[in-house]
Amino acid sequence: MTITEPDILRSPNTVLANAVDSTLDVLRPRIFAEDPERIRFTVGTQINGHPHIGTHLVQSLAFLVAERARDDYGIDVDVEFYALDNAPAETVRDPESGHRYQRTYFHQLGPDAIGALVGEHYRPLFAELSQRTGVPYGLTTYTAQQNSPEFRAEFVRTLEYLDEIRYWLDPSAGSAHIRLPCPVCGWAEKNAERTRLLELDDSGALFESVCMHHGRYESDITPLGGGYLDLATLYRNVVKERSYRPDDTLRVMVKGGDWVFGCSLVDGAQTAIGPTTTAPARIFTPQILGSDGGKLSKSLLREAAEAGPAEGNPFGWFLDPSRWPGTPEDYVSTLTGLGELLLSDPRHFFRSYTTTEMERLIMSTRQPARNQSQAHGRPRNIQIYREYFDMIADGSKTVEVRVAYDSMKRIKAGDLLNFTCRELSCLTRVTRVGTYRTFKEMFGTESVKAVNPNATEAEQLKAIQSIFPPAKEALGVLTFELELVNENNK
């Protein structure tokens, strides 16, 4: 028997992990309810300096989750990356008023420098992840988002419910923290203590604010223009989630695990405003914790580094991945290997990891970068449901059928495919790849029993076409003939 249980990682049962067989099952209710033509996975990152390993983990998992959703559900996918250039680049205290002021990265650096920063720290990683998964992606900034008519119009609508939502947005003080930077210098009161709403009607909203350098000024926020709109984190997410317009796309927010707590407040504000038909789904990725249980953060790591070496402190590439002891391709290969491990079982995904454990897992899964034009030296993990997993594992199912997505077209004879189902895995080798125009044509060549020994051709054809509609079938059909592989004889 070639069923194996991973020995790299052991994870405890959790409430959610016990409810699903696959991590992606959490999207199934929304997919069945909405029947979308596309799933867009959205991930946002504050671009306040170098990203750390936790940021890269969330981003790489967005691509890997999208790849699996496409292959499992037969739906087009893409990844949308928001560079949050409204992160504070500098914070000072006004000696006269005592209020704190901040200036965003956008206002301090300007659009050209922001573009260069994104290009340096994120675009190469995203381009490599896109190539490996076949998942397209787009890059945009918060500045562009806040300037869109949809976002600004939805913000104006939320002002009608400001009294109902302000304690959801700021449970301590009930302040919405609507920051409207000075049009001359770009500084804004961090907590917006002296920002007042003067007028509100169907055409927009007029605010008054105070600059520590230029005194009082007004900002006219309309759907089509006006001042720069910088919202605090919770308020920004409320507006963003409500600003999507109904279409054939299911949007999925990919967030770090620390967002679980914040989203309860976002949902409270959404309920206070009223129902929306465009609310996105959410996936919370594993959170990386320090040895004291606190979330991995650049500020904490810098403090630890300044304090001197200590056992378990992840210096170097954990804080700055450019210091990874290997090539960039090697780094991306290791990230994807780690992501595949976390996605191999819901128990591995719906949990947190200390930096010490994460470092151990990263080094355990570290693999040299592979040449995409050659057969993969490392197995590719493919999640599959128990019914089909058992048939592959006992050797009765020897042909796997897939739609010809770009990622599937890269699989060649000789490649290793590791089929997984929760803690179980079954290693196989591809002995032959078949290419067909349609499923019906495929069944004219492939053995029906080899694809599924327990169903007739008509039953299989009906089942496959219910998963992959004509638009997916039009991409082409691939079959992979499999042989079981013993771990000792790869």
Side-chain angles (χ1 to χ4, degrees), residues 312-343:
N313 267 336
F315 303 141
W317 57 267
F318 253 48
L319 181 59
D320 181 1
S322 67
R323 298 171 62 185
W324 166 263
T327 66
E329 293 78 15
D330 177 25
Y331 178 69
V332 175
S333 290
T334 301
L335 269 181
T336 54
L338 174 64
E340 289 170 355
L341 174 63
L342 299 181
L343 285 166

PDB file of all heavy atoms in Angstrom, residues 312-343:
ATOM      1  N   GLY A 312      16.130  30.810  19.423  1.00  0.00           N
ATOM      2  CA  GLY A 312      14.813  30.853  18.801  1.00  0.00           C
ATOM      3  C   GLY A 312      14.489  32.155  18.110  1.00  0.00           C
ATOM      4  O   GLY A 312      13.415  32.289  17.544  1.00  0.00           O
ATOM      5  N   ASN A 313      15.388  33.139  18.132  1.00  0.00           N
ATOM      6  CA  ASN A 313      15.100  34.403  17.454  1.00  0.00           C
ATOM      7  C   ASN A 313      15.353  34.275  15.955  1.00  0.00           C
ATOM      8  O   ASN A 313      16.490  33.993  15.536  1.00  0.00           O
ATOM      9  CB  ASN A 313      15.992  35.526  18.012  1.00  0.00           C
ATOM     10  CG  ASN A 313      15.328  36.288  19.131  1.00  0.00           C
ATOM     11  OD1 ASN A 313      14.117  36.315  19.218  1.00  0.00           O
ATOM     12  ND2 ASN A 313      16.128  36.894  19.995  1.00  0.00           N
ATOM     13  N   PRO A 314      14.355  34.450  15.117  1.00  0.00           N
ATOM     14  CA  PRO A 314      14.541  34.323  13.671  1.00  0.00           C
ATOM     15  C   PRO A 314      15.045  35.618  13.055  1.00  0.00           C
ATOM     16  O   PRO A 314      14.279  36.430  12.576  1.00  0.00           O
ATOM     17  CB  PRO A 314      13.128  33.989  13.185  1.00  0.00           C
ATOM     18  CG  PRO A 314      12.250  34.712  14.157  1.00  0.00           C
ATOM     19  CD  PRO A 314      12.957  34.700  15.477  1.00  0.00           C
ATOM     20  N   PHE A 315      16.344  35.870  13.116  1.00  0.00           N
ATOM     21  CA  PHE A 315      16.900  37.067  12.513  1.00  0.00           C
ATOM     22  C   PHE A 315      17.033  36.868  11.007  1.00  0.00           C
ATOM     23  O   PHE A 315      16.558  35.903  10.440  1.00  0.00           O
ATOM     24  CB  PHE A 315      18.274  37.370  13.124  1.00  0.00           C
ATOM     25  CG  PHE A 315      18.258  37.538  14.617  1.00  0.00           C
ATOM     26  CD1 PHE A 315      19.284  37.046  15.403  1.00  0.00           C
ATOM     27  CD2 PHE A 315      17.208  38.190  15.236  1.00  0.00           C
ATOM     28  CE1 PHE A 315      19.261  37.199  16.776  1.00  0.00           C
ATOM     29  CE2 PHE A 315      17.184  38.353  16.602  1.00  0.00           C
ATOM     30  CZ  PHE A 315      18.209  37.854  17.384  1.00  0.00           C
ATOM     31  N   GLY A 316      17.741  37.799  10.404  1.00  0.00           N
ATOM     32  CA  GLY A 316      18.110  37.617   9.004  1.00  0.00           C
ATOM     33  C   GLY A 316      16.926  37.551   8.078  1.00  0.00           C
ATOM     34  O   GLY A 316      16.105  38.458   8.021  1.00  0.00           O
ATOM     35  N   TRP A 317      16.813  36.428   7.351  1.00  0.00           N
ATOM     36  CA  TRP A 317      15.835  36.342   6.270  1.00  0.00           C
ATOM     37  C   TRP A 317      14.397  36.280   6.761  1.00  0.00           C
ATOM     38  O   TRP A 317      13.475  36.542   5.996  1.00  0.00           O
ATOM     39  CB  TRP A 317      16.149  35.145   5.365  1.00  0.00           C
ATOM     40  CG  TRP A 317      16.192  33.825   6.057  1.00  0.00           C
ATOM     41  CD1 TRP A 317      17.271  33.193   6.580  1.00  0.00           C
ATOM     42  CD2 TRP A 317      15.081  32.945   6.276  1.00  0.00           C
ATOM     43  NE1 TRP A 317      16.917  31.987   7.121  1.00  0.00           N
ATOM     44  CE2 TRP A 317      15.580  31.805   6.945  1.00  0.00           C
ATOM     45  CE3 TRP A 317      13.726  33.008   5.960  1.00  0.00           C
ATOM     46  CZ2 TRP A 317      14.763  30.750   7.310  1.00  0.00           C
ATOM     47  CZ3 TRP A 317      12.913  31.954   6.337  1.00  0.00           C
ATOM     48  CH2 TRP A 317      13.438  30.838   6.997  1.00  0.00           C
ATOM     49  N   PHE A 318      14.130  35.957   8.025  1.00  0.00           N
ATOM     50  CA  PHE A 318      12.757  36.014   8.524  1.00  0.00           C
ATOM     51  C   PHE A 318      12.245  37.454   8.482  1.00  0.00           C
ATOM     52  O   PHE A 318      11.091  37.697   8.159  1.00  0.00           O
ATOM     53  CB  PHE A 318      12.695  35.487   9.963  1.00  0.00           C
ATOM     54  CG  PHE A 318      12.062  34.135  10.069  1.00  0.00           C
ATOM     55  CD1 PHE A 318      12.447  33.105   9.226  1.00  0.00           C
ATOM     56  CD2 PHE A 318      11.085  33.873  11.009  1.00  0.00           C
ATOM     57  CE1 PHE A 318      11.870  31.856   9.323  1.00  0.00           C
ATOM     58  CE2 PHE A 318      10.501  32.619  11.113  1.00  0.00           C
ATOM     59  CZ  PHE A 318      10.892  31.615  10.265  1.00  0.00           C
ATOM     60  N   LEU A 319      13.116  38.387   8.829  1.00  0.00           N
ATOM     61  CA  LEU A 319      12.749  39.786   8.822  1.00  0.00           C
ATOM     62  C   LEU A 319      12.907  40.396   7.440  1.00  0.00           C
ATOM     63  O   LEU A 319      12.098  41.218   7.006  1.00  0.00           O
ATOM     64  CB  LEU A 319      13.604  40.553   9.823  1.00  0.00           C
ATOM     65  CG  LEU A 319      13.350  42.054   9.969  1.00  0.00           C
ATOM     66  CD1 LEU A 319      11.916  42.314  10.389  1.00  0.00           C
ATOM     67  CD2 LEU A 319      14.319  42.644  10.972  1.00  0.00           C
ATOM     68  N   ASP A 320      13.939  39.990   6.733  1.00  0.00           N
ATOM     69  CA  ASP A 320      14.234  40.526   5.401  1.00  0.00           C
ATOM     70  C   ASP A 320      14.544  39.371   4.462  1.00  0.00           C
ATOM     71  O   ASP A 320      15.671  38.887   4.411  1.00  0.00           O
ATOM     72  CB  ASP A 320      15.424  41.483   5.478  1.00  0.00           C
ATOM     73  CG  ASP A 320      15.770  42.097   4.134  1.00  0.00           C
ATOM     74  OD1 ASP A 320      15.072  41.789   3.143  1.00  0.00           O
ATOM     75  OD2 ASP A 320      16.744  42.873   4.076  1.00  0.00           O
ATOM     76  N   PRO A 321      13.546  38.872   3.709  1.00  0.00           N
ATOM     77  CA  PRO A 321      13.759  37.703   2.843  1.00  0.00           C
ATOM     78  C   PRO A 321      14.855  37.886   1.797  1.00  0.00           C
ATOM     79  O   PRO A 321      15.318  36.904   1.221  1.00  0.00           O
ATOM     80  CB  PRO A 321      12.391  37.512   2.179  1.00  0.00           C
ATOM     81  CG  PRO A 321      11.422  38.079   3.158  1.00  0.00           C
ATOM     82  CD  PRO A 321      12.122  39.262   3.747  1.00  0.00           C
ATOM     83  N   SER A 322      15.265  39.133   1.528  1.00  0.00           N
ATOM     84  CA  SER A 322      16.369  39.313   0.583  1.00  0.00           C
ATOM     85  C   SER A 322      17.662  38.722   1.128  1.00  0.00           C
ATOM     86  O   SER A 322      18.613  38.509   0.375  1.00  0.00           O
ATOM     87  CB  SER A 322      16.558  40.802   0.271  1.00  0.00           C
ATOM     88  OG  SER A 322      17.018  41.510   1.412  1.00  0.00           O
ATOM     89  N   ARG A 323      17.703  38.427   2.424  1.00  0.00           N
ATOM     90  CA  ARG A 323      18.885  37.803   3.039  1.00  0.00           C
ATOM     91  C   ARG A 323      18.768  36.281   3.094  1.00  0.00           C
ATOM     92  O   ARG A 323      19.549  35.614   3.760  1.00  0.00           O
ATOM     93  CB  ARG A 323      19.082  38.370   4.442  1.00  0.00           C
ATOM     94  CG  ARG A 323      19.351  39.875   4.451  1.00  0.00           C
ATOM     95  CD  ARG A 323      19.319  40.456   5.852  1.00  0.00           C
ATOM     96  NE  ARG A 323      20.356  39.871   6.709  1.00  0.00           N
ATOM     97  CZ  ARG A 323      20.474  40.134   8.012  1.00  0.00           C
ATOM     98  NH1 ARG A 323      19.606  40.968   8.581  1.00  0.00           N
ATOM     99  NH2 ARG A 323      21.420  39.570   8.724  1.00  0.00           N
ATOM    100  N   TRP A 324      17.774  35.744   2.392  1.00  0.00           N
ATOM    101  CA  TRP A 324      17.626  34.288   2.312  1.00  0.00           C
ATOM    102  C   TRP A 324      18.924  33.665   1.796  1.00  0.00           C
ATOM    103  O   TRP A 324      19.495  34.138   0.810  1.00  0.00           O
ATOM    104  CB  TRP A 324      16.460  33.957   1.395  1.00  0.00           C
ATOM    105  CG  TRP A 324      16.383  32.534   0.940  1.00  0.00           C
ATOM    106  CD1 TRP A 324      16.830  32.015  -0.234  1.00  0.00           C
ATOM    107  CD2 TRP A 324      15.812  31.437   1.667  1.00  0.00           C
ATOM    108  NE1 TRP A 324      16.574  30.676  -0.308  1.00  0.00           N
ATOM    109  CE2 TRP A 324      15.953  30.281   0.847  1.00  0.00           C
ATOM    110  CE3 TRP A 324      15.201  31.309   2.905  1.00  0.00           C
ATOM    111  CZ2 TRP A 324      15.499  29.032   1.247  1.00  0.00           C
ATOM    112  CZ3 TRP A 324      14.753  30.060   3.292  1.00  0.00           C
ATOM    113  CH2 TRP A 324      14.902  28.945   2.470  1.00  0.00           C
ATOM    114  N   PRO A 325      19.421  32.602   2.451  1.00  0.00           N
ATOM    115  CA  PRO A 325      20.701  32.001   2.038  1.00  0.00           C
ATOM    116  C   PRO A 325      20.547  31.103   0.820  1.00  0.00           C
ATOM    117  O   PRO A 325      20.716  29.888   0.883  1.00  0.00           O
ATOM    118  CB  PRO A 325      21.099  31.191   3.279  1.00  0.00           C
ATOM    119  CG  PRO A 325      19.801  30.807   3.916  1.00  0.00           C
ATOM    120  CD  PRO A 325      18.884  31.980   3.677  1.00  0.00           C
ATOM    121  N   GLY A 326      20.211  31.670  -0.290  1.00  0.00           N
ATOM    122  CA  GLY A 326      20.026  30.907  -1.527  1.00  0.00           C
ATOM    123  C   GLY A 326      19.553  31.837  -2.617  1.00  0.00           C
ATOM    124  O   GLY A 326      19.505  33.055  -2.453  1.00  0.00           O
ATOM    125  N   THR A 327      19.158  31.268  -3.735  1.00  0.00           N
ATOM    126  CA  THR A 327      18.699  32.070  -4.864  1.00  0.00           C
ATOM    127  C   THR A 327      17.243  32.481  -4.673  1.00  0.00           C
ATOM    128  O   THR A 327      16.500  31.847  -3.912  1.00  0.00           O
ATOM    129  CB  THR A 327      18.819  31.273  -6.164  1.00  0.00           C
ATOM    130  OG1 THR A 327      17.902  30.164  -6.115  1.00  0.00           O
ATOM    131  CG2 THR A 327      20.246  30.751  -6.365  1.00  0.00           C
ATOM    132  N   PRO A 328      16.787  33.544  -5.373  1.00  0.00           N
ATOM    133  CA  PRO A 328      15.365  33.911  -5.309  1.00  0.00           C
ATOM    134  C   PRO A 328      14.452  32.765  -5.759  1.00  0.00           C
ATOM    135  O   PRO A 328      13.369  32.568  -5.198  1.00  0.00           O
ATOM    136  CB  PRO A 328      15.272  35.113  -6.247  1.00  0.00           C
ATOM    137  CG  PRO A 328      16.647  35.707  -6.249  1.00  0.00           C
ATOM    138  CD  PRO A 328      17.579  34.529  -6.135  1.00  0.00           C
ATOM    139  N   GLU A 329      14.886  32.018  -6.781  1.00  0.00           N
ATOM    140  CA  GLU A 329      14.080  30.882  -7.249  1.00  0.00           C
ATOM    141  C   GLU A 329      13.968  29.821  -6.168  1.00  0.00           C
ATOM    142  O   GLU A 329      12.918  29.199  -5.981  1.00  0.00           O
ATOM    143  CB  GLU A 329      14.698  30.297  -8.514  1.00  0.00           C
ATOM    144  CG  GLU A 329      14.658  31.215  -9.729  1.00  0.00           C
ATOM    145  CD  GLU A 329      15.721  32.294  -9.684  1.00  0.00           C
ATOM    146  OE1 GLU A 329      16.664  32.172  -8.867  1.00  0.00           O
ATOM    147  OE2 GLU A 329      15.623  33.268 -10.456  1.00  0.00           O
ATOM    148  N   ASP A 330      15.060  29.606  -5.443  1.00  0.00           N
ATOM    149  CA  ASP A 330      15.078  28.655  -4.334  1.00  0.00           C
ATOM    150  C   ASP A 330      14.098  29.101  -3.249  1.00  0.00           C
ATOM    151  O   ASP A 330      13.353  28.293  -2.672  1.00  0.00           O
ATOM    152  CB  ASP A 330      16.505  28.569  -3.786  1.00  0.00           C
ATOM    153  CG  ASP A 330      16.636  27.669  -2.568  1.00  0.00           C
ATOM    154  OD1 ASP A 330      15.798  26.766  -2.421  1.00  0.00           O
ATOM    155  OD2 ASP A 330      17.574  27.865  -1.781  1.00  0.00           O
ATOM    156  N   TYR A 331      14.058  30.405  -2.984  1.00  0.00           N
ATOM    157  CA  TYR A 331      13.157  30.946  -1.968  1.00  0.00           C
ATOM    158  C   TYR A 331      11.693  30.716  -2.345  1.00  0.00           C
ATOM    159  O   TYR A 331      10.884  30.279  -1.525  1.00  0.00           O
ATOM    160  CB  TYR A 331      13.429  32.435  -1.786  1.00  0.00           C
ATOM    161  CG  TYR A 331      12.533  33.123  -0.788  1.00  0.00           C
ATOM    162  CD1 TYR A 331      12.624  32.845   0.578  1.00  0.00           C
ATOM    163  CD2 TYR A 331      11.601  34.065  -1.204  1.00  0.00           C
ATOM    164  CE1 TYR A 331      11.804  33.484   1.493  1.00  0.00           C
ATOM    165  CE2 TYR A 331      10.774  34.711  -0.294  1.00  0.00           C
ATOM    166  CZ  TYR A 331      10.883  34.416   1.052  1.00  0.00           C
ATOM    167  OH  TYR A 331      10.066  35.042   1.968  1.00  0.00           O
ATOM    168  N   VAL A 332      11.345  30.989  -3.596  1.00  0.00           N
ATOM    169  CA  VAL A 332       9.968  30.803  -4.047  1.00  0.00           C
ATOM    170  C   VAL A 332       9.607  29.319  -4.026  1.00  0.00           C
ATOM    171  O   VAL A 332       8.490  28.945  -3.652  1.00  0.00           O
ATOM    172  CB  VAL A 332       9.762  31.400  -5.446  1.00  0.00           C
ATOM    173  CG1 VAL A 332       8.355  31.101  -5.964  1.00  0.00           C
ATOM    174  CG2 VAL A 332       9.991  32.902  -5.420  1.00  0.00           C
ATOM    175  N   SER A 333      10.534  28.457  -4.419  1.00  0.00           N
ATOM    176  CA  SER A 333      10.276  27.012  -4.361  1.00  0.00           C
ATOM    177  C   SER A 333       9.993  26.571  -2.937  1.00  0.00           C
ATOM    178  O   SER A 333       9.104  25.750  -2.688  1.00  0.00           O
ATOM    179  CB  SER A 333      11.486  26.240  -4.913  1.00  0.00           C
ATOM    180  OG  SER A 333      11.611  26.417  -6.295  1.00  0.00           O
ATOM    181  N   THR A 334      10.734  27.124  -1.993  1.00  0.00           N
ATOM    182  CA  THR A 334      10.527  26.762  -0.592  1.00  0.00           C
ATOM    183  C   THR A 334       9.201  27.309  -0.075  1.00  0.00           C
ATOM    184  O   THR A 334       8.487  26.635   0.669  1.00  0.00           O
ATOM    185  CB  THR A 334      11.696  27.282   0.260  1.00  0.00           C
ATOM    186  OG1 THR A 334      12.910  26.709  -0.228  1.00  0.00           O
ATOM    187  CG2 THR A 334      11.526  26.899   1.716  1.00  0.00           C
ATOM    188  N   LEU A 335       8.843  28.530  -0.463  1.00  0.00           N
ATOM    189  CA  LEU A 335       7.553  29.094  -0.070  1.00  0.00           C
ATOM    190  C   LEU A 335       6.399  28.234  -0.577  1.00  0.00           C
ATOM    191  O   LEU A 335       5.451  27.949   0.160  1.00  0.00           O
ATOM    192  CB  LEU A 335       7.404  30.507  -0.636  1.00  0.00           C
ATOM    193  CG  LEU A 335       7.873  31.698   0.192  1.00  0.00           C
ATOM    194  CD1 LEU A 335       7.600  32.982  -0.562  1.00  0.00           C
ATOM    195  CD2 LEU A 335       7.221  31.723   1.557  1.00  0.00           C
ATOM    196  N   THR A 336       6.467  27.827  -1.846  1.00  0.00           N
ATOM    197  CA  THR A 336       5.381  27.018  -2.395  1.00  0.00           C
ATOM    198  C   THR A 336       5.359  25.632  -1.760  1.00  0.00           C
ATOM    199  O   THR A 336       4.289  25.065  -1.540  1.00  0.00           O
ATOM    200  CB  THR A 336       5.511  26.901  -3.918  1.00  0.00           C
ATOM    201  OG1 THR A 336       6.810  26.407  -4.263  1.00  0.00           O
ATOM    202  CG2 THR A 336       5.315  28.248  -4.590  1.00  0.00           C
ATOM    203  N   GLY A 337       6.534  25.080  -1.458  1.00  0.00           N
ATOM    204  CA  GLY A 337       6.565  23.793  -0.767  1.00  0.00           C
ATOM    205  C   GLY A 337       5.934  23.876   0.606  1.00  0.00           C
ATOM    206  O   GLY A 337       5.181  22.986   1.024  1.00  0.00           O
ATOM    207  N   LEU A 338       6.231  24.961   1.325  1.00  0.00           N
ATOM    208  CA  LEU A 338       5.621  25.179   2.634  1.00  0.00           C
ATOM    209  C   LEU A 338       4.114  25.347   2.504  1.00  0.00           C
ATOM    210  O   LEU A 338       3.335  24.764   3.267  1.00  0.00           O
ATOM    211  CB  LEU A 338       6.240  26.420   3.286  1.00  0.00           C
ATOM    212  CG  LEU A 338       5.606  26.878   4.595  1.00  0.00           C
ATOM    213  CD1 LEU A 338       5.791  25.827   5.684  1.00  0.00           C
ATOM    214  CD2 LEU A 338       6.204  28.221   5.027  1.00  0.00           C
ATOM    215  N   GLY A 339       3.685  26.136   1.508  1.00  0.00           N
ATOM    216  CA  GLY A 339       2.260  26.347   1.300  1.00  0.00           C
ATOM    217  C   GLY A 339       1.525  25.060   0.981  1.00  0.00           C
ATOM    218  O   GLY A 339       0.412  24.826   1.473  1.00  0.00           O
ATOM    219  N   GLU A 340       2.120  24.224   0.157  1.00  0.00           N
ATOM    220  CA  GLU A 340       1.497  22.944  -0.174  1.00  0.00           C
ATOM    221  C   GLU A 340       1.366  22.063   1.057  1.00  0.00           C
ATOM    222  O   GLU A 340       0.366  21.345   1.229  1.00  0.00           O
ATOM    223  CB  GLU A 340       2.310  22.240  -1.255  1.00  0.00           C
ATOM    224  CG  GLU A 340       2.208  22.907  -2.622  1.00  0.00           C
ATOM    225  CD  GLU A 340       3.207  22.357  -3.616  1.00  0.00           C
ATOM    226  OE1 GLU A 340       4.042  21.515  -3.209  1.00  0.00           O
ATOM    227  OE2 GLU A 340       3.174  22.776  -4.783  1.00  0.00           O
ATOM    228  N   LEU A 341       2.365  22.113   1.947  1.00  0.00           N
ATOM    229  CA  LEU A 341       2.284  21.342   3.183  1.00  0.00           C
ATOM    230  C   LEU A 341       1.133  21.850   4.052  1.00  0.00           C
ATOM    231  O   LEU A 341       0.335  21.058   4.578  1.00  0.00           O
ATOM    232  CB  LEU A 341       3.603  21.439   3.946  1.00  0.00           C
ATOM    233  CG  LEU A 341       3.628  20.787   5.333  1.00  0.00           C
ATOM    234  CD1 LEU A 341       3.403  19.285   5.225  1.00  0.00           C
ATOM    235  CD2 LEU A 341       4.942  21.088   6.045  1.00  0.00           C
ATOM    236  N   LEU A 342       1.007  23.162   4.201  1.00  0.00           N
ATOM    237  CA  LEU A 342      -0.058  23.718   5.039  1.00  0.00           C
ATOM    238  C   LEU A 342      -1.432  23.422   4.461  1.00  0.00           C
ATOM    239  O   LEU A 342      -2.404  23.246   5.205  1.00  0.00           O
ATOM    240  CB  LEU A 342       0.133  25.224   5.187  1.00  0.00           C
ATOM    241  CG  LEU A 342       1.438  25.689   5.840  1.00  0.00           C
ATOM    242  CD1 LEU A 342       1.464  27.203   5.945  1.00  0.00           C
ATOM    243  CD2 LEU A 342       1.639  25.050   7.201  1.00  0.00           C
ATOM    244  N   LEU A 343      -1.532  23.363   3.138  1.00  0.00           N
ATOM    245  CA  LEU A 343      -2.821  23.092   2.491  1.00  0.00           C
ATOM    246  C   LEU A 343      -3.142  21.607   2.391  1.00  0.00           C
ATOM    247  O   LEU A 343      -4.245  21.244   1.980  1.00  0.00           O
ATOM    248  CB  LEU A 343      -2.828  23.698   1.081  1.00  0.00           C
ATOM    249  CG  LEU A 343      -2.990  25.220   1.010  1.00  0.00           C
ATOM    250  CD1 LEU A 343      -2.634  25.727  -0.385  1.00  0.00           C
ATOM    251  CD2 LEU A 343      -4.411  25.623   1.371  1.00  0.00           C
TER     252      LEU A 343
END
